[in-house]
Amino acid sequence: MTAATAIPGLDRRPGGGRGLWLVLLVFLLALLGALSVAVGTRDVGLDDILAALHGRTDSIGQAAVAARIPRTVLAAVAGAALGLSGAVMQGVTRNPLADPGILGVNLGASLAVAVAVAWFGIASMQAYVWVAIGGAGATAAFVYAIGSLGRGGPTPLKLALAGMATSVALSSLVVAVMLSRGDVAGGLQAWQIGGVGGATFARLMPVLPFLGAGLAISLASARWLNALALGDDMAAGLGERVAVARGVSSAGAILLCGATTAVCGPIGFVGLVVPHLCRLLTGIDHRWLLPFSALGGACLLIASDIAGRLLARPAELDVGIVTALVGAPVFVGIVRRARVREL
Amino acid sequence: MTASLIARGRRRRARRRHAVIGGACALLLAGFALTLMLGQSFVAPQTVLRVLAGQDVPGASFTVGQLRLPRAVVAILAGLSFGLGGAAFQIMLRNPLASPDIIGISRGASVAAVLAIVVLDLDGPMVSVMAVIAGLAVAIAIHGLASRGGVAGTRLILVGIGVSAMLDSVIAWTLSRAPSWDLAEAMRWLTGSVNGAHLSQALPLLASLAVFGGLLVSRSRDLETLRLGDDTAAALGTDVAATRVAVIVAAVGLIAVATAITGPIAFVAFLSGPIAARILGPNGSVLIPAALVGAALVLVGDYAGQFLLPARFPVGVVTGALGAPYLIYLIVRMNRTGGSL
């Protein structure tokens, strides 16, 4: 607290502003949530929606709405987790391009799950989550180690390339696993694109404790991230234990993206885009940035899911495809804006 | 005295160069012969020769003539195209990472091919034409997006990575709309494969190698001067702008036509140039050795994917698994020397 507020320039925009934006964001999330329940491949009347919200599934419309509710909840939860985890990763690595998708962490989780499904016969959601978090953690450590070797530490280019190389290798391995086990390939293939369709509360429940833990750790590490933003030497000078701060914050981010990947498959770019947009509203103070990123991520993923349902009618577009289409231009924009020396 | 020294050096380098190219050609031919003979069943060399001569041999005519020969021919031609195009980009941009499969050009061609086949229901040469146009469009777009007061290599590569990610999702979307969505077909357009190759596919590849490959090789002297930097190249009398346009058109053409047939076989374009440079040493243009290395990579990768691994994998999975460690090695080595990428 004291370390953060004592630094001039950290609170670029003191006062109201941010509080108002927070309220607006919550309002937007509620609006999008309502829209996501109401809109979809099938047009449903208001009375059906209300009936379904009371738990009735008598007509097809009511059943459709009842199926959309867990889906919306999942999109909100997954989006919040990915947005938050991206913000933490960008803080820990001090790197504007850090994102669980670009760094290959989501693919690490999905390779772990694919191997577990194909060769170890694991089928419970609980086990998926553990396996996915293990894969995510191992990949994150690997990519970060490669990207930060040598002089200059983890520069955006080195991290992005290390992430890309790892992603290509991992996706080759995922394909290898799928091709050698044709019987489970269909399910894995659908899961591999990244989507929130077919969600049920039963699938969501086992993940919630992990997401809760990740959320708590990440939000609590905001102060550390503010200190790390000043550089390792300065943070150490301010009395922070840099290694501990980095390790604990990363653990929170890995819990979040690993658990999300276990339910939804790898969804990219949410963790990249959302923190950048939120930084425009909040400035660089992580105590504000992190909650904003969580809310913003939830909004983005619900909106992408709605767009995916409407654009490809009567079929559906998986949300992972929509977020890549939205996110890649933002990625290019960030790269363009940055000065060459910073890259 | 000096003149004779230079002449001797030139002769030595030319000898070494010819030895490398000759050796690579011999190895490639041997590999070609072996892939025709070996497989699920062994076919004796004289039987293979009889099939190649057009005789009808029961059994062998099908395995060799219908299955192995088209596959090997398409693999070699596609590998030549990828190797040549990739090395040209790497030399021109003076960066081993600036290969078309990393900066998104192969992806662009792949998207166009998928759209042409799945949505527009085209086949044959039109698919190749679309792929070439899209490859050029992606090259221009990446160049435009990355240039802000001069093209910086780093920015070009990062922009390319972002564009590739977007194009990947377009491929996934298109494939998910395809009526017969199956894994093998998806793999072709995501990682590259020579499954189900047909001899008629060799024609566009040959034509593109003749036209674009010829253009590239005829420009190889100018291309080599670009290695020294644009200013030095201009001072040496190279028309830098014209060379650059010719090289981009030719390299994109090669990559795109090959991609339209086999899909973007992962990392062949990226790996061929550096491997060839390592073998060749400072003995002249790396273009032709790189093409031969590319052909060898695809041929061997496809054979390994079919017969040496526990399940049958498309060649792109094998080369992708090979290329990623090399990319990581490249990053680690650059880090250690402290050089910029």
Side-chain angles (χ1 to χ4, degrees):
Chain A
M1 182 66 195
T2 45
T5 46
I7 299 151
L10 201 57
D11 285 60
R12 258 203 322 204
R13 281 177 229 192
R18 293 190 291 211
L20 187 63
W21 278 114
L22 198 62
V23 175
L24 277 176
L25 216 51
V26 172
F27 183 68
L28 180 67
L29 180 60
L31 192 71
L32 283 169
L35 205 61
S36 166
V37 172
V39 177
T41 306
R42 183 178 190 85
D43 292 314
V44 183
L46 191 61
D47 46 340
D48 273 346
I49 293 171
L50 289 176
L53 286 178
H54 285 101
R56 303 230 313 270
T57 51
D58 303 335
S59 71
I60 298 176
Q62 287 170 10
V65 172
R68 283 178 202 156
I69 295 170
R71 178 181 187 148
T72 306
V73 173
L74 176 61
V77 170
L82 288 172
L84 187 56
S85 123
V88 173
M89 282 192 184
Q90 287 174 14
V92 169
T93 59
R94 281 209 306 272
N95 185 326
L97 297 181
D99 162 77
I102 290 167
L103 296 187
V105 177
N106 288 348
L107 268 175
S110 65
L111 174 64
V113 172
V115 168
V117 170
W119 288 327
F120 296 97
I122 289 173
S124 83
M125 200 63 225
Q126 195 78 33
Y128 284 172
V129 183
W130 282 109
V131 169
I133 290 172
T139 315
F142 180 70
V143 169
Y144 189 78
I146 288 176
S148 58
L149 279 174
R151 232 172 287 172
T155 64
L157 177 69
K158 283 196 268 177
L159 271 183
L161 282 172
M164 196 195 100
T166 314
S167 302
V168 174
L170 291 175
S171 55
S172 272
L173 294 176
V174 171
V175 170
V177 171
M178 291 201 298
L179 288 178
S180 58
R181 282 296 309 271
D183 45 337
V184 293
L188 280 174
Q189 175 75 16
W191 173 79
Q192 190 61 33
I193 294 177
V196 293
T200 57
F201 282 116
R203 270 177 70 201
L204 186 56
M205 290 317 275
V207 194
L208 286 180
F210 296 93
L211 290 177
L215 183 80
I217 295 174
S218 300
L219 289 180
S221 62
R223 215 172 52 87
W224 279 334
L225 294 177
N226 278 345
L228 284 178
L230 302 168
D232 287 5
D233 293 343
M234 186 72 98
L238 287 169
E240 300 292 353
R241 278 177 296 170
V242 173
V244 174
R246 199 160 258 156
V248 174
S249 332
S250 318
I254 287 165
L255 272 177
L256 287 171
C257 64
T260 311
T261 305
V263 208
C264 305
I267 297 178
F269 287 105
V270 176
L272 176 82
V273 174
V274 168
H276 278 279
L277 294 182
C278 291
R279 225 170 264 130
L280 298 177
L281 302 178
T282 64
I284 56 175
D285 186 347
H286 282 89
R287 288 168 304 168
W288 284 91
L289 179 62
L290 295 183
F292 265 75
S293 295
L295 281 173
C299 291
L300 178 66
L301 208 61
I302 296 180
S304 303
D305 187 35
I306 299 174
R309 274 185 261 164
L310 293 185
L311 287 178
R313 276 213 236 194
E316 282 185 6
L317 204 51
D318 283 304
V319 71
I321 294 175
V322 181
T323 56
L325 287 177
V326 175
V330 175
F331 177 94
V332 171
I334 297 165
V335 172
R336 264 169 73 75
R337 213 181 44 187
R339 282 203 305 276
V340 178
R341 215 174 310 124
E342 289 172 350
L343 294 177
Chain B
M1 179 63 199
T2 335
S4 75
L5 211 63
I6 291 174
R8 210 181 320 144
R10 262 194 196 146
R11 270 201 304 279
R12 200 187 59 231
R13 283 197 294 276
R15 256 205 313 278
R16 165 102 178 132
R17 192 174 147 71
H18 292 145
V20 166
I21 292 179
C25 283
L27 277 178
L28 197 57
L29 268 178
F32 180 64
L34 279 177
T35 50
L36 290 187
M37 290 190 291
L38 302 175
Q40 295 290 13
S41 62
F42 176 75
V43 178
Q46 55 270 37
T47 323
V48 170
L49 284 177
R50 275 170 59 202
V51 173
L52 290 184
Q55 292 179 28
D56 194 28
V57 188
S61 274
F62 179 72
T63 23
V64 176
Q66 300 288 313
L67 296 179
R68 292 182 195 170
L69 180 67
R71 197 170 178 130
V73 167
V74 167
I76 286 178
L77 293 177
L80 288 172
S81 310
F82 282 124
L84 206 51
F89 262 95
Q90 288 168 331
I91 296 170
M92 183 181 69
L93 296 169
R94 295 187 285 279
N95 191 332
L97 292 167
S99 91
D101 39 8
I102 291 186
I103 61 176
I105 291 169
S106 318
R107 290 278 176 239
S110 187
V111 167
V114 172
L115 283 175
I117 291 170
V118 171
V119 178
L120 302 177
D121 215 9
L122 299 173
D123 58 358
M126 275 312 290
V127 178
S128 299
V129 172
M130 295 259 304
V132 173
I133 294 171
L136 281 174
V138 170
I140 292 168
I142 291 172
H143 189 272
L145 285 171
S147 66
R148 217 193 48 171
V151 180
T154 315
R155 195 186 287 138
L156 185 86
I157 293 160
L158 283 174
V159 166
I161 291 177
V163 170
S164 311
M166 191 159 98
L167 295 173
D168 257 349
S169 76
V170 176
I171 296 176
W173 177 27
T174 316
L175 286 173
S176 72
R177 293 172 65 87
S180 58
W181 153 259
D182 71 291
L183 198 59
E185 198 56 16
M187 281 310 116
R188 175 190 304 274
W189 300 113
L190 291 171
T191 71
S193 155
V194 287
N195 263 339
H198 201 266
L199 265 188
S200 66
Q201 291 171 332
L203 281 178
L205 284 171
L206 273 177
S208 121
L209 275 170
V211 175
F212 296 123
L215 177 62
L216 208 52
V217 172
S218 75
R219 284 273 179 177
S220 70
R221 197 173 280 265
D222 290 337
L223 187 58
E224 281 302 306
T225 64
L226 280 186
R227 211 191 262 283
L228 305 170
D230 292 358
D231 295 340
T232 315
L236 287 169
T238 303
D239 186 343
V240 173
T243 306
R244 189 164 271 165
V245 170
V247 169
I248 290 179
V249 168
V252 169
L254 283 169
I255 298 280
V257 172
T259 303
I261 287 162
T262 63
I265 301 180
F267 282 154
V268 172
F270 167 65
L271 285 171
S272 305
I275 293 178
R278 179 64 62 85
I279 298 171
L280 183 67
N283 297 306
S285 170
V286 84
L287 280 179
I288 290 172
L292 295 171
V293 169
L297 276 177
V298 178
L299 194 66
V300 173
D302 184 44
Y303 186 80
Q306 281 189 87
F307 300 115
L308 301 185
L309 299 173
R312 290 174 80 104
F313 298 123
V315 54
V317 171
V318 179
T319 53
L322 271 182
Y326 174 69
L327 182 51
I328 289 172
Y329 161 76
L330 210 59
I331 299 166
V332 171
R333 201 193 57 184
M334 301 264 180
N335 288 347
R336 203 175 300 137
T337 56
S340 63
L341 280 169

